[in-house]
Amino acid sequence: MSDHLPSSPGTLAERLRSVDYLPDEGLATVTYLALSMQRPILLEGEPGTGKTALAEALAEALALPLVRLQCYEGIDATQALYDWDFTRQILHLRTVEATSRGDLDAAAVEQSLFDDRFLLARPILRALQESPAILLIDEIDRADDEFEAFLLEVLSTNQVTIPELGTVRAAEPPIVVLTSNRTRELHDALKRRCLYHWIDHPGLAREIEIVRARIPDVPKLLAEQVATAVQQLRATDEMLKPPGVAETLDWARALRQLGRQELDLETAAATIGAVCKYREDIDRVRESLDRLLRT
């Protein structure tokens, strides 16, 4: 990992900026510490603030593979660790039976069924096998308490035991990035295992910088207008889902795709679906677009 590890938070920030991810000083520092101390990093914040994008940028900046585990309600260890390819196992068994010329050695046949070639590695096992790698555990708050406890055990040992094959240990711990939208509180035990950072929405100047970095051909005026309008939308308390940076980028891309050099009332109304994802929000925003664009 030393070949990949930046020498300071500032160096890490520069490498992230080289792949168009613009961290603030706090995020760059806690990420550097997570890398150097070999600790998982837990990122919380509103949707669209760049939590997942940090893991993607780290993989690109450090030239490491990215392995992603998307959490969801009901996920269990099987979906995260490994499974067996039952279809191929059955075909193998039939082939052995068809080509056998005598009595089969049941123990040998059974052992052959649990060979590496029939193992389906899920994200956590893949990350241990491919490490050094970035393991992104996305939206951990959507999983249940049981899965969280299982995950804590894996993160503590960096190894997985497969009864039929033995124990798989990472040559070195993967870089683990956990994200949460805070739909529920995570357990203290998991939080203690991690370094923590809350990612907030960026200020206006940094949001403009993000737009211009991620979409280099967007006109400066258009970037400023889009970022300013989105900042104004976030400042209201009436939206069901305030837009994140992801929506800012989507809106700027949509306007650029239409060939716009600046944001006008008609085009803003036609493209507001890039920013608002609920009908109620679209209706409210359209009613206030004229005031919004004059701000």
Side-chain angles (χ1 to χ4, degrees), residues 199-272:
I199 298 186
D200 211 343
H201 292 293
L204 176 59
R206 195 159 71 89
E207 189 153 16
I208 293 171
E209 187 181 5
I210 291 171
V211 173
R212 302 204 69 196
R214 298 293 294 272
I215 317 171
D217 61 342
V218 69
K220 182 175 183 292
L221 175 60
L222 183 59
E224 293 172 350
Q225 289 177 318
V226 168
T228 300
V230 171
Q231 292 267 332
Q232 291 292 326
L233 291 176
R234 287 194 200 117
T236 69
D237 297 326
E238 300 177 351
M239 296 193 69
L240 295 175
K241 184 184 180 299
V245 177
E247 283 73 37
T248 306
L249 293 169
D250 280 347
W251 200 12
R253 288 191 185 99
L255 294 165
R256 193 71 190 100
Q257 187 68 28
L258 293 173
R260 298 298 186 265
Q261 298 295 311
E262 59 182 281
L263 187 59
D264 59 76
L265 184 60
E266 182 180 354
T267 307
T271 58
I272 201 62

Side-chain angles (χ1 to χ4, degrees), residues 6 10-23 27 31 50 52-64 66 134 209-216 249 253:
T11 304
L12 175 61
E14 290 175 7
R15 292 175 71 168
L16 289 173
R17 284 176 173 271
S18 73
V19 295
D20 297 332
Y21 188 91
L22 311 182
L27 180 56
T31 304
T52 299
L54 174 64
E56 296 168 345
L58 272 176
E60 186 176 356
L62 303 181
L64 294 174
L66 174 66
I134 307 291
E209 187 181 5
I210 291 171
V211 173
R212 302 204 69 196
R214 298 293 294 272
I215 317 171
L249 293 169
R253 288 191 185 99

